Amino acid sequence: MLRRKARRAQTGAGGADPLDPAQEDRVRAVLALGGVPHADLPDGVQQVRLKLLERAADGREAPRDVSAWAAVVASNLAMDWHRARRRQERLGERLQVLWREATDEDGAEKRATSLAVAEGLGALPDAQRQVVVLRFYADLPVRAIADELGIPEGTVKSRLHTAVRLLRARLHEGEVV
């Protein structure tokens, strides 16, 4: 009973950090050993911290060994990072195949349009570009994109709408379409 109260006090709304410095160092080490780039380590630590806070907010008891629990979560995050990177690589390969097909079939006009679209995609913010690529190049439905990215369907629709509007304006501006 006392343990439970002590754990709740540690992770409660008192503003205390749910990860002590030693646990944070262990999370960083697990992420680094998992192949996560150095620049992404602070984000990984924050995600582990957030999961621990969400657990407390849901009223679930804190893990008996927070350090071990955090290491497992960090390991899972590292695997997720690799999966996302592989997914991006596959999308890049698919885009290259589509580019080759476009340049082989219809010649200069299709190449100019493809180049303008590629430049337009490059100008979009990462979140919007990711949604557009998943929707139109990977041919995923909105629900699958939302599940894949872990965001609400409404956010996917909003990002798609904004990105398509920006791309359309850019293509009309450059008199490509």
Side-chain angles (χ1 to χ4, degrees):
M1 180 79 169
L2 291 176
R3 265 189 188 168
R4 215 178 288 154
K5 285 183 183 178
R7 275 193 226 122
R8 283 192 185 134
Q10 223 178 12
T11 60
D17 191 349
L19 291 177
D20 65 33
Q23 293 165 338
E24 186 173 327
D25 288 343
R26 184 173 183 188
V27 167
R28 284 180 184 277
V30 169
L31 290 169
L33 288 172
V36 174
H38 183 72
D40 292 340
L41 293 180
D43 290 338
V45 172
Q46 281 300 96
Q47 287 181 350
V48 171
R49 187 174 281 120
L50 181 63
K51 290 202 180 286
L52 192 57
L53 289 171
E54 286 172 348
R55 184 181 175 104
D58 289 342
R60 290 183 284 161
E61 194 173 311
R64 246 186 274 159
D65 185 354
V66 174
S67 184
W69 179 88
V72 170
V73 171
S75 177
N76 291 339
L77 288 172
M79 286 188 291
D80 290 346
W81 183 87
H82 284 290
R83 286 184 190 119
R85 194 184 76 195
R86 274 188 247 124
R87 192 170 34 254
Q88 289 294 333
E89 288 170 357
R90 285 192 307 268
L91 285 174
E93 292 167 2
R94 178 74 179 132
L95 286 173
Q96 287 176 351
V97 167
L98 290 172
W99 171 254
R100 275 188 240 117
E101 289 173 0
T103 57
D104 291 343
E105 290 174 6
D106 296 339
E109 187 176 325
K110 195 160 187 177
R111 253 187 306 233
T113 304
S114 295
L115 184 58
V117 170
E119 287 174 354
L121 280 172
L124 291 175
D126 289 340
Q128 290 176 356
R129 180 176 42 249
Q130 189 176 35
V131 170
V132 167
V133 168
L134 289 172
R135 178 65 189 104
F136 297 109
Y137 290 96
D139 201 27
L140 292 177
V142 171
R143 179 176 295 231
I145 295 170
D147 291 343
E148 188 70 32
L149 299 178
I151 58 177
E153 287 183 45
T155 303
V156 172
K157 291 176 184 178
S158 173
R159 288 180 185 173
L160 272 173
H161 175 77
T162 304
V164 168
R165 192 180 70 232
L166 290 171
L167 282 172
R168 185 178 295 129
R170 184 176 175 103
L171 293 175
H172 284 294
E173 187 178 280
E175 296 181 5
V176 177
V177 178

